[in-house]
Amino acid sequence: MITTEDTLKTKINTLDLSKKLTQTENRHSLLENHLRNAGVSVSEHFIHQGILKAAAFQPSSVQLPLKDIHVAPLFPNLVQKNDTHLLEATGESISVSGKNIAVLFSGGPASGGHNVILGLQKALGSHNVLYGVKSGPKGLITGDLFLITPENLATVTNLGGFDFLGSDRTKIKTKEQYEQVRQTVRKFKLDGIVIIGGDDSNTNAAFLAEFLVSETCAVVGVPKTIDGDLQAGAWVPISFGFDTATKIYAEMVGNILQDTPSSRKYWHFVKLMGRSASHVALEVALQTKPTLTLISEEMSAKKQTLEEIILSIARVVAQRALKGMAYGVVLVPEGMIEFIPEFQLLIKELNALMAQFSAEMDLLSGQERVTFIQNKLPKTFSALFGSLPEPIKTQLLLDRDSHGNLQVSQIPTEQLLIDMVKAKIKDMKTNPDVYFGPGKIEVSPKEYEKFIQFKFSSNSHFFGYEGRCGAPTLFDASYTFNLGLTAGSLLLGGHTGYMAALTDLDKGGKPIGLPLTSLMNTEFRGQETMVVIQKALVEIDSPAFMYFAARRSFWALNDAFSNPGPIQHFGPSANQVPFIVALNHGFSHFGFHIGQEVALSL
Ligand code: FBP
């Protein structure tokens, strides 16, 4: 029998639990509280007698040649000042006061951004002022700055997201915009600016550094992007955010892989973010060993057509069906479409037409744009364009971003592949002689019967935004804190036009300053030739790709997957670096080693 006393107790308990639940609002989950108080690993270059300090930097003997004859004329001040020498820490600390430094995020979010600001603040100490720029480069133009205090920054320590400052994708390009930035620099008496961004944002940083030499305001970039395409050999082994994003995707892909031999009926096509390069897809493949992984750079190197790609997927689908495996997982890099040679040419043609008829197209709706362009395309391109599903056509005609990039995250490539593989499987059933037989897919009558019974059922996924703002892994949390310390140290030393970087990630971590000009090359974007920071693509002769290439046929025809599980902040894989970093840089283990653990309240 339930007594009044029991009811009262239940009420009190419910009240207690409700209170507890409410306490986790405003970023106070149990994990978040724990992370906020967790330490990070710090390179010994920043620890002097047990205290965190900014490090002094000097030019090293390493000189990095400019990639291109078009770079030097655009950066006369930087090239003369920096002489393209790499900066290295001297082993001494530096003590400077009275400087005003501003920091901004630029582009898409990546985990660890808040820790860059934290490291920067620790480098500046209490005798310099740190301003946050709201909403990315746009905020620098409009002068939207606020004072960062240790108290407000403490709320986001070791947490994901870019919400502390906000971000955007504005390219600072017009004379008027540069002048507005000059006004911001003067208004806040800025001695330095830190731009935390990807390749395009660091291109912005280089041009601003050159422009602001006359204002004695130094500019330093920090390598951020989940895409992992901001790399410079051993100097910048990876951009921050990549590790967290790929581990999040690997958990999700691992779970789907785990589901497939249980439910035994679906083919999952998973598009993974990475605007251009396929580093994310390759890393997730190494972590999970899925049935198939497409690598854009390989398609481009082998000059594959879409038809060939579809056929290669359909063959594996058929071969597995013959073995009674009516399921699998295919990883698709987000930027794939731009790497297939026939699409490259089509996109170039579309860019030209969109530039030529921009005024007319501005007045048209999505469907009208498609018809308008279809009629303008030369015959060679109109067949390919016309064969594409309507959503793909519409997305290919979306406005390019302010850096001239196609918005590939909006293109449903995974669905395009599903539709085309489905059609190919149907064709294989209708015209078996074309696909089966000696030298083709070898099959017994009994197996063929199985294939005829097989039904291709599919699911599409896009894992992108899920991975950009997660709480940083131990690697990203520490890496970014050290990048912040490096950026702050470079600015206090008056060094401009550098990327703050951390090398030797398996041997203690060594901070360096890399001349931004040494990373630049000339590219054709949209309708313009531009000098920009070169994107690092997957190299098909790299150790990571070669390992993948050697194992993938086994993964294709067997259930060889592994499910790495969730990100670990302690436990067996907590210390793990991205596999592509360890393999490509010849680490002797998969763990990172950056100096020593330091409590962030120091
Ligand atoms: P950044 O290069 O700015 O780091 O952004 C990368 C990215 O995550 C890409 O993978 C993706 O194509 C893009 O952002 C999508 O962002 P948005 O929706 O802002 O275009």
Side-chain angles (χ1 to χ4, degrees):
M1 195 179 77
I2 299 172
T3 62
T4 328
E5 206 178 317
D6 286 338
T7 319
L8 210 63
K9 261 192 204 154
T10 316
K11 271 196 178 150
I12 292 172
N13 277 344
T14 313
L15 213 66
D16 270 3
L17 289 183
S18 318
K19 250 196 216 153
K20 281 212 169 100
L21 210 53
T22 311
Q23 279 166 5
T24 59
E25 287 175 356
N26 300 321
R27 309 177 66 133
H28 282 290
S29 72
L30 295 181
L31 177 68
E32 285 166 339
N33 287 347
H34 166 82
L35 293 178
R36 214 177 264 113
N37 298 315
V40 290
S41 302
V42 178
S43 162
E44 63 180 19
H45 294 271
F46 299 113
I47 303 175
H48 297 267
Q49 288 156 353
I51 297 180
L52 275 184
K53 285 206 170 152
F57 279 80
Q58 68 183 9
S60 73
S61 55
V62 180
Q63 199 172 6
L64 300 159
L66 297 179
K67 290 182 195 296
D68 198 306
I69 51 161
H70 303 295
V71 179
L74 291 174
F75 299 96
N77 289 317
L78 291 187
V79 171
Q80 191 204 5
K81 219 170 158 31
N82 301 344
D83 200 15
T84 65
H85 276 281
L86 192 89
L87 295 183
E88 64 184 6
T90 62
E92 302 293 317
S93 66
I94 179 173
S95 181
V96 173
S97 57
K99 296 232 178 194
N100 297 322
I101 306 295
V103 58
L104 63 94
F105 291 133
S106 180
S111 298
H114 291 145
N115 276 20
V116 177
I117 309 179
L118 203 71
L120 176 61
Q121 188 194 52
K122 295 284 179 198
L124 300 185
S126 54
H127 299 293
N128 299 288
V129 174
L130 180 59
Y131 290 106
V133 181
K134 287 191 189 160
S135 311
K138 191 169 63 192
L140 196 62
I141 294 169
T142 57
D144 197 359
L145 275 60
F146 70 102
L147 198 64
I148 295 179
T149 65
E151 291 71 34
N152 54 26
L153 198 47
T155 60
V156 290
T157 299
N158 276 336
L159 299 189
F162 269 13
D163 48 322
F164 185 71
L165 298 180
S167 181
D168 89 325
R169 293 193 184 278
T170 301
K171 182 177 172 73
I172 303 174
K173 53 183 170 194
T174 66
K175 215 169 158 206
E176 194 193 353
Q177 287 172 324
Y178 274 99
E179 277 314 315
Q180 283 175 289
V181 172
R182 193 202 301 277
Q183 292 318 315
T184 301
V185 167
R186 289 185 181 167
K187 181 172 169 196
F188 291 89
K189 299 187 170 46
L190 295 181
D191 301 289
I193 300 172
V194 179
I195 296 186
I196 303 171
D199 53 329
D200 289 331
S201 312
N202 274 278
T203 298
N204 255 347
F207 281 103
L208 270 187
E210 175 68 23
F211 178 72
L212 293 174
V213 165
S214 58
E215 301 291 317
T216 55
C217 175
V219 181
V220 162
V222 174
K224 166 241 70 162
T225 173
I226 65 153
D227 296 0
D229 58 2
L230 188 45
Q231 299 177 23
W235 308 123
V236 184
I238 197 70
S239 51
F240 81 76
F242 178 83
D243 186 50
T244 309
T246 50
K247 282 184 175 141
I248 291 173
Y249 302 146
E251 180 196 355
M252 298 198 290
V253 170
N255 290 345
I256 291 180
L257 278 159
Q258 192 79 60
D259 183 89
T260 47
S262 304
S263 50
R264 310 187 73 84
K265 59 178 175 180
Y266 292 122
W267 271 87
H268 295 267
F269 283 64
V270 184
K271 183 171 77 170
L272 291 170
M273 245 188 196
R275 180 202 303 286
S276 200
S278 310
H279 300 292
V280 171
L282 179 58
E283 175 64 25
V284 175
L286 296 179
Q287 290 192 34
T288 61
K289 293 94 183 166
T291 323
L292 283 172
T293 302
L294 308 179
I295 300 292
S296 311
E297 290 83 344
E298 185 181 26
M299 295 173 185
S300 169
K302 292 186 174 164
K303 298 196 175 16
Q304 286 177 315
T305 62
L306 186 57
E307 173 62 19
E308 285 166 349
I309 295 160
I310 298 301
L311 184 59
S312 67
I313 301 172
R315 281 178 73 97
V316 172
V317 171
Q319 282 169 311
R320 284 177 71 95
L322 297 175
K323 291 171 81 172
M325 299 155 97
Y327 56 86
V329 174
V330 184
L331 302 187
V332 180
E334 179 186 76
M336 180 189 125
I337 218 145
E338 281 191 299
F339 282 77
I340 303 174
E342 57 192 324
F343 275 92
Q344 256 168 16
L345 296 173
L346 172 67
I347 290 165
K348 208 167 154 198
E349 190 65 28
L350 292 177
N351 287 344
L353 287 174
M354 285 167 72
Q356 190 184 348
F357 297 105
S358 68
E360 287 91 329
M361 288 189 64
D362 279 352
L363 305 172
L364 302 177
S365 70
Q367 186 47 50
E368 289 167 339
R369 284 174 147 223
V370 170
T371 318
F372 180 83
I373 286 288
Q374 179 84 60
N375 293 331
K376 296 270 181 253
L377 272 173
K379 238 190 181 157
T380 31
F381 299 108
S382 68
L384 175 60
F385 188 69
S387 72
L388 298 172
E390 288 309 312
I392 305 267
K393 288 186 205 166
T394 317
Q395 305 298 345
L396 283 174
L397 299 179
L398 283 181
D399 290 336
R400 295 350 185 199
D401 76 8
S402 76
H403 297 270
N405 301 308
L406 180 68
Q407 296 180 48
V408 281
S409 66
Q410 307 300 315
I411 299 179
T413 327
E414 66 284 21
Q415 194 55 50
L416 172 75
L417 294 179
I418 287 176
D419 293 347
M420 294 185 78
V421 169
K422 197 176 204 159
K424 182 60 72 187
I425 297 289
K426 199 171 161 203
D427 192 41
M428 287 171 121
K429 289 182 181 177
T430 324
N431 301 301
D433 297 348
V434 179
Y435 304 98
F436 297 97
K440 302 173 195 166
I441 303 177
E442 310 261 351
V443 67
S444 70
K446 210 169 153 204
E447 282 174 328
Y448 183 68
E449 203 41 48
K450 233 185 216 167
F451 175 66
I452 292 294
Q453 303 298 325
F454 159 69
K455 183 168 169 281
F456 177 70
S457 302
S458 60
N459 274 305
S460 66
H461 312 259
F462 171 29
F463 297 161
Y465 300 98
E466 294 86 345
R468 304 201 304 186
C469 285
T473 55
L474 288 193
F475 171 72
D476 270 331
S478 296
Y479 185 40
T480 47
F481 187 74
N482 285 271
L483 290 175
L485 285 166
T486 309
S489 303
L490 289 171
L491 289 179
L492 290 181
H495 303 290
T496 190
Y498 289 91
M499 178 178 285
L502 195 74
T503 181
D504 290 356
L505 299 172
D506 56 336
K507 298 187 204 77
K510 193 171 146 203
I512 53 168
L514 196 67
L516 285 166
T517 47
S518 70
L519 302 172
M520 308 194 84
N521 75 152
T522 308
E523 283 176 23
F524 193 65
R525 295 252 189 111
Q527 273 310 286
E528 282 175 75
T529 304
M530 299 179 182
V531 171
V532 292
I533 291 195
Q534 188 175 24
K535 273 190 204 307
L537 301 179
V538 170
E539 289 174 17
I540 58 174
D541 56 355
S542 64
F545 181 84
M546 289 201 302
Y547 171 81
F548 159 76
R551 299 300 305 153
R552 64 179 157 184
S553 39
F554 180 69
W555 302 348
L557 299 183
N558 297 280
D559 282 336
F561 66 86
S562 65
N563 186 359
I567 286 177
Q568 299 184 7
H569 291 276
F570 45 85
S573 63
N575 208 37
Q576 186 182 292
V577 280
F579 289 154
I580 63 163
V581 172
L583 292 173
N584 289 343
H585 295 282
F587 286 17
S588 57
H589 48 81
F590 284 121
F592 74 89
H593 164 46
I594 300 176
Q596 65 188 67
E597 185 158 329
V598 167
L600 285 178
S601 51
L602 243 178

